[in-house]
Amino acid sequence: MNIPFLDLRAPHEELRAELREAFERVLDSGWYIQGDEVKQFEHEFAAFCEARYCVGVGNGLEALHLILRAYGIGEGDEVIVPSNTYIATWLAVSYAGARPIPVEPDKHTYNIDPALIEAAITPNTKAIIAVHLYGQPADMDAISAIAGKYHLKVIEDAAQAHGARYKGKRVGTLGDAAGFSFYPAKNIGALGDGGAVTTNDIDLADKVRVLSNYGSQVKYHNEVKGFNSRLDELQAAFLREKLKRLDEWNGRRKAVAADYLTEICDNKVVLPYIPEWANPVWHLFVVLHPQRDCLQKKLSECGIGTAIHYPIPPHLQGAYAELSYAMGSFPIAEKIHQEVLSLPIGPHMDKKQVQLVVDAVKELGRA
């Protein structure tokens, strides 16, 4: 039996009738940009995140970029980011004209270590971006306490954490604003690109909405130099149908993760660590192994798909060569990137598939 790392057909098959109806609804409306589907999705996703406001945008990177722009963060400013994250977090800062300042992760959770943030703060620091990596929330109370001391904005990169909870509260309202991605592989994904900003700050929401629409509130009246970053009406319609299943699908992911956590043991595989205050949604199930590439090859030979999130940390990417970070600059992130391996996980994996992955990892992980 071949087990793909990611199966995007199964959720769409489950929702085939609903997605077709959503398509017909938009097609029949004759309205394809900034219509009722987007408005309804914004209302429904805000409610899901327990936020007051939601603004649909083009993708997750633009969600973060627009938040920074709306807060006036730009040239000469610094924004603290995790050294262990996908490069989009850093790119959002660069697009705003600011400089990303990396901080190492906690060795157990792989999220930014609050104990190391204060040392990275300078008079130019304006914000902290906390990434809820792999679907597990960062330690937001500790991060917010530091931000409050220095009057910094706290921005959540929630691209992988739709529905996750921190101390009982949904991600998306744990800081000043949050950016979400609806890339197809996410826990709730569009059939294309999409993103959103959530916040309880009406001024921020209004500014993001203007910036995302050419800098305009009224058509052909452009108040500022804006961008074209809008959630498509069709994607919003699809997302509305998927949102109805998100908690259920996250629950199925948690069941797969529970089996992995319980049954993969007694080998070289390092399993995810979950703080007692975290309720992750398992966008990814990421393990560490000192011979990661060898383990991945062996699993592939057994028909089990895996992925590496991510092979190269942002500070060592060619895109940030101008920052002159050398190997060894951020050793914790570098070690994580050398050893991480993402196992298959999704709401449509059955017990047999899960057991096959467990058995293979237990056998091959010892090698």
Side-chain angles (χ1 to χ4, degrees):
M1 176 187 290
N2 288 328
I3 302 173
F5 171 70
L6 177 65
D7 181 3
L8 289 181
R9 293 185 179 182
H12 296 146
E13 187 60 36
E14 182 177 339
L15 285 179
R16 179 176 289 272
E18 291 90 337
L19 295 175
R20 284 186 178 278
E21 192 280 330
F23 172 79
E24 296 291 344
R25 197 167 65 232
V26 174
L27 185 65
D28 291 343
S29 75
W31 196 292
Y32 309 119
I33 298 290
Q34 292 189 312
D36 287 340
E37 295 291 343
V38 170
K39 291 176 184 176
Q40 289 299 319
F41 175 73
E42 289 175 341
H43 174 77
E44 291 159 7
F45 193 67
F48 176 85
C49 295
E50 301 168 1
R52 292 180 184 173
Y53 311 103
C54 171
V55 182
V57 297
N59 55 61
L61 168 55
E62 290 173 1
L64 296 174
H65 168 221
L66 291 168
I67 291 169
L68 293 166
R69 289 271 185 175
Y71 279 132
I73 295 170
E75 195 70 32
D77 295 331
E78 296 175 350
V79 177
I80 290 175
V81 296
S83 59
N84 180 44
T85 185
Y86 183 54
I87 198 171
T89 313
W90 289 42
L91 290 174
V93 177
S94 299
Y95 289 174
R99 179 186 174 104
I101 303 297
V103 168
E104 288 273 65
D106 178 277
K107 293 180 181 179
H108 302 291
T109 67
Y110 315 143
N111 279 324
I112 193 168
D113 188 343
L116 303 178
I117 291 176
E118 195 162 8
I121 294 173
T122 75
N124 294 325
T125 306
K126 295 296 187 293
I128 303 168
I129 298 182
V131 179
H132 304 309
L133 197 63
Y134 312 144
Q136 173 160 250
D139 190 353
M140 295 302 294
D141 282 354
I143 294 168
S144 295
I146 297 165
K149 180 178 177 181
Y150 291 92
H151 308 290
L152 307 177
K153 295 295 182 183
V154 177
I155 300 165
E156 299 172 77
D157 182 339
Q160 301 182 355
H162 315 73
R165 290 186 181 272
Y166 171 80
K167 298 184 179 180
K169 298 171 68 174
R170 295 267 201 197
V171 305
T173 59
L174 303 175
D176 294 289
F180 287 87
S181 167
F182 301 124
Y183 181 74
K186 305 300 184 184
N187 289 37
I188 174 173
L191 275 69
D193 256 327
V197 172
T198 60
T199 184
N200 289 330
D201 180 347
I202 189 171
D203 289 336
L204 184 279
D206 287 344
K207 288 177 181 176
V208 168
R209 196 175 297 281
V210 168
L211 283 168
S212 68
N213 188 37
Y214 297 101
S216 172
Q217 288 190 78
V218 178
K219 195 169 185 178
Y220 304 133
H221 292 257
N222 304 88
E223 304 163 22
V224 295
K225 296 181 182 70
F227 305 87
N228 177 7
S229 180
R230 302 175 297 201
L231 180 63
D232 285 345
E233 189 77 353
L234 184 59
Q235 300 302 343
F238 292 149
L239 289 167
R240 291 184 67 197
E241 299 304 326
K242 288 189 170 187
L243 185 58
K244 298 172 186 175
R245 302 290 183 94
L246 183 53
D247 277 333
E248 177 190 348
W249 286 356
N250 282 343
R252 295 186 208 169
R253 288 176 177 271
K254 291 174 186 178
V256 175
D259 286 344
Y260 283 163
L261 290 168
T262 301
E263 299 189 38
I264 299 175
C265 55
D266 300 327
N267 50 44
K268 297 178 183 178
V269 175
V270 178
L271 295 169
Y273 168 77
I274 313 302
E276 54 87 20
W277 40 255
N279 187 353
V281 291
W282 300 104
H283 172 60
L284 299 171
F285 190 95
V286 177
V287 300
L288 299 186
H289 193 281
Q291 286 84 44
R292 182 266 314 284
D293 293 343
C294 181
L295 176 58
Q296 183 180 42
K297 182 175 183 292
K298 290 178 179 179
L299 289 171
S300 178
E301 290 169 352
C302 294
I304 296 173
T306 59
I308 298 173
H309 297 89
Y310 300 94
I312 304 172
H315 70 277
L316 296 179
Q317 296 280 3
Y320 282 99
E322 80 277 5
L323 298 182
S324 300
Y325 290 121
M327 179 72 77
S329 298
F330 297 96
I332 300 175
E334 290 166 20
K335 183 176 187 295
I336 290 170
H337 285 245
Q338 289 164 1
E339 297 187 1
V340 288
L341 187 66
S342 299
L343 302 181
I345 192 167
H348 295 84
M349 285 186 71
D350 60 35
K351 282 285 187 180
K352 184 177 180 180
Q353 289 176 313
V354 174
Q355 193 60 51
L356 286 171
V357 175
V358 167
D359 292 343
V361 173
K362 287 170 70 173
E363 179 182 352
L364 301 174
R366 298 187 183 98

